[in-house]
Structure formats: structure tokens, C-alpha cells
């Protein structure tokens, strides 16, 4: 972020199209590498090379998406801006809660079990609903955590005086 701020790109770049292209390339690489390696080696090899957080396509896609949001102008009176203002402090907590290995296994494998709907026509709706539920619960947990931490910090500052 600091690099983009210090060295801004002066020309107009279609960041969102680059992001979509890199994301598409990431997904296609898995199918293409599988299609190429199975006839040669008898097994899919290297199909996850571009599928990790540190792959070049994911990294460049993340940078392009960052630029999209960096250049985004939202009217502060808009309902979307107000919603973003309230939700943005919770996002890191939501990410950390749902990516914690034990929580992820508990939520997805023991409670929601979306894989049970893998061959159903309504699977997309189940996964979207489950994702919204997980997001809302994790945001609620993070909101409570932020409230408790603010109370603790206020109490600690009052004690120091």
C-alpha cells in the first residue's frame, strides 16, 4: 500500500479487467495443467502451482484488486458507504475467525456440512446462505470482542489517572 502511495501509476489502467483476467488464468491453470500432465505422467501434477496465496497470478490479482479499491470513489452519504464504514473494522476479525483451522473444521465439517449438498441443484444457494451465516456470526463475535477491548482500554486508562 505504501509503495502505491509513494509511486502512483499515472496512466489509466483497467485494474478490474486485469484482476478478472488473472483470476480466470488462475482457475484455468488448474484445468490446463491437469489436462496436460495426466496423459504424460498418469496423474495430475503441478495443478495447484497457481492455486496458492503466494502464486504470481494470485499475488498480481490481489494487487490489481487493491488498486480497484484504491481508485474507488464512494459518496459518503450513500448507504453502501455507511455500511462499509460499519463493517470494515470487523473484516480482519472475520477473516481470522473463519480461517483458524479448528474453527474452520468445526464450522464447515461438523456444523454446516455444505458438502452434503454437492450433487443437489440448490447447492449454490446453500453455500451462499452458509457463507452469509458464517460472516454474520464471525462479525458478531468480532463486534463483541471490539466492545470488550474498548471497555478494557477505557478502564485501564481510568485506573492510570
Amino acid at each position: 500500500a505504501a509503495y502505491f502511495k509513494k509511486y502512483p501509476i499515472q496512466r489509466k489502467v483497467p485494474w478490474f479487467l486485469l484482476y478478472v483476467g488473472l483470476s480466470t488464468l488462475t482457475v484455468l491453470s488448474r484445468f490446463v495443467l491437469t489436462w496436460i500432465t495426466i496423459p504424460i505422467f498418469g496423474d495430475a501434477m503441478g495443478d495447484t502451482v497457481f492455486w496458492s496465496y503466494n502464486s504470481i497470478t494470485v499475488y498480481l490479482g490481489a494487487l490489481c484488486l487493491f488498486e480497484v479499491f484504491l481508485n474507488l470513489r464512494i459518496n459518503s452519504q450513500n448507504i453502501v458507504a455507511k455500511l462499509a464504514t460499519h463493517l470494515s473494522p470487523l473484516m480482519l476479525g472475520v477473516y481470522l475467525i473463519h480461517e483458524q483451522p479448528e474453527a474452520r473444521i468445526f464450522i464447515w465439517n461438523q456444523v454446516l456440512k455444505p458438502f452434503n449438498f454437492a450433487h443437489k441443484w440448490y447447492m449454490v444457494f446453500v453455500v451462499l446462505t452458509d457463507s452469509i451465516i458464517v460472516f454474520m456470526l464471525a462479525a458478531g463475535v468480532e463486534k463483541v470482542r471490539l466492545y470488550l477491548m474498548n471497555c478494557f482500554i477505557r478502564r485501564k486508562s481510568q485506573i492510570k489517572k
Side-chain angles (χ1 to χ4, degrees):
Y3 180 84
F4 285 127
K5 196 166 216 127
K6 187 169 183 171
Y7 304 107
I9 297 172
Q10 301 300 326
R11 60 187 167 164
K12 192 79 169 158
V13 177
W15 294 112
F16 187 72
L17 291 177
L18 284 172
Y19 165 73
V20 170
L22 287 163
S23 297
T24 304
L25 185 63
T26 301
V27 172
L28 288 177
S29 71
R30 189 163 191 163
F31 296 113
V32 169
L33 288 172
T34 301
W35 180 69
I36 290 172
T37 59
I38 285 180
I40 296 171
F41 301 110
D43 193 16
M45 300 180 86
D47 60 333
T48 59
V49 169
F50 297 107
W51 203 256
S52 62
Y53 284 129
N54 61 353
S55 79
I56 189 69
T57 55
V58 172
Y59 181 74
L60 291 175
L63 290 177
C64 290
L65 192 60
F66 179 78
E67 277 288 335
V68 167
F69 285 106
L70 186 65
N71 296 323
L72 192 63
R73 302 291 173 242
I74 299 176
N75 182 359
S76 63
Q77 301 304 318
N78 190 338
I79 187 83
V80 174
K82 291 178 183 177
L83 185 64
T85 302
H86 290 296
L87 291 179
S88 60
L90 308 176
M91 292 303 105
L92 179 62
V94 169
Y95 172 74
L96 293 175
I97 290 167
H98 96 279
E99 275 300 308
Q100 201 275 337
E102 286 82 14
R104 184 179 343 118
I105 290 169
F106 176 73
I107 292 167
W108 296 107
N109 294 352
Q110 295 176 3
V111 177
L112 297 176
K113 301 178 184 178
F115 49 83
N116 289 344
F117 303 95
H119 300 292
K120 307 287 187 203
W121 65 269
Y122 50 88
M123 180 197 78
V124 173
F125 301 110
V126 170
V127 171
L128 285 173
T129 304
D130 288 349
S131 299
I132 291 168
I133 290 169
V134 169
F135 174 81
M136 289 172 47
L137 289 174
V141 168
E142 179 63 8
K143 188 77 170 170
V144 169
R145 187 197 70 80
L146 287 174
Y147 174 77
L148 293 174
M149 287 306 295
N150 285 334
C151 290
F152 175 74
I153 290 169
R154 271 189 248 119
R155 175 72 54 123
K156 192 174 179 182
S157 66
Q158 288 173 355
I159 292 172
K160 284 186 176 181
K161 292 179 183 179

